[in-house]
Amino acid sequence: MIEPVISLSKDAEVPNAQLIYIDGDHTYEGVYADIVKYWNNLDRGGIIFGDDFFLKVSAGRKDGYECGVSNAVEEFCRKNNLNFQTHYNNFWSIQK
């Protein structure tokens, strides 16, 4: 059964979940920190996922901001001996 969506602030206590969507800071540091933070709240067999995997420069930014989603996902999986998948040329997911 799918529970209602809960939007959380950075300091909110996070309940355990079967599905966690990350769509926040797109820097390498921000994405990696979010994956690490929410991974422990993911139920066994659950999926953590996000978008913008292939995005290199954030849309609308003129300051050379580099999107770090793919690097963060790849490094988290490498360090934890996990696999990730990409979907629809943009989304990524990791199953626990």
Side-chain angles (χ1 to χ4, degrees), residues 17-83:
Q18 295 175 349
L19 189 65
I20 297 175
Y21 180 69
I22 294 177
D23 189 21
D25 179 347
H26 283 54
T27 64
Y28 165 83
E29 296 82 6
V31 175
Y32 193 88
D34 282 345
I35 294 171
V36 168
K37 178 178 181 178
Y38 297 115
W39 185 255
N40 290 330
N41 299 95
L42 190 63
D43 292 335
R44 179 177 284 268
I47 295 173
I48 193 166
F49 73 110
D51 65 354
D52 296 334
F53 186 83
F54 295 107
L55 186 66
K56 295 301 175 200
V57 178
S58 185
R61 301 273 305 244
K62 297 178 182 173
D63 58 3
Y65 165 84
E66 187 173 324
C67 185
V69 175
S70 59
N71 290 340
V73 170
E74 289 169 356
E75 183 165 334
F76 179 82
C77 287
R78 184 181 54 76
K79 285 183 175 180
N80 293 282
N81 198 29
L82 297 166
N83 295 311

Side-chain angles (χ1 to χ4, degrees), residues 47-51 53-54 73-74 77 82-95:
I47 295 173
I48 193 166
F49 73 110
D51 65 354
F53 186 83
F54 295 107
V73 170
E74 289 169 356
C77 287
L82 297 166
N83 295 311
F84 68 91
Q85 295 182 356
T86 58
H87 313 274
Y88 304 109
N89 297 324
N90 192 39
F91 288 88
W92 59 270
S93 65
I94 308 167
Q95 186 169 14

